[in-house]
Amino acid sequence: MKKRIFLLAALPLIAACTSNPTKQEIGTVSGAVVGGIVGTSLTGSSAGTIGGAAAGAYIGNRIGKEMQRK
């Protein structure tokens, strides 16, 4: 069951690799990964991981968007 969920979650990332990603897309994915790791480290729970990944994705998206404008 966990393998299926992982594969379903990874499909958008795999599909995004078919073209050159923008700085905004790179920032979103990088922020989600870092945020998920930080959320897990701080809380040790799934909710912390999800919350950290969501916050990291948002922050990474905003940073990437700003970098892309320059």
Side-chain angles (χ1 to χ4, degrees), residues 13-37:
L13 297 176
I14 294 169
C17 293
T18 59
S19 65
N20 292 335
T22 64
K23 290 181 180 179
Q24 189 172 2
E25 292 168 340
I26 293 170
T28 302
V29 173
S30 300
V33 170
V34 172
I37 292 169

Side-chain angles (χ1 to χ4, degrees), residues 42-65:
L42 292 177
T43 64
S45 68
S46 298
T49 303
I50 293 168
Y58 178 76
I59 293 168
N61 182 284
R62 297 288 115 207
I63 291 171
K65 185 176 183 178

Side-chain angles (χ1 to χ4, degrees), residues 1-14 50:
M1 179 75 169
K2 288 183 180 183
K3 288 182 182 179
R4 288 183 188 168
I5 293 172
F6 174 76
L7 289 174
L8 289 175
L11 282 177
L13 297 176
I14 294 169
I50 293 168

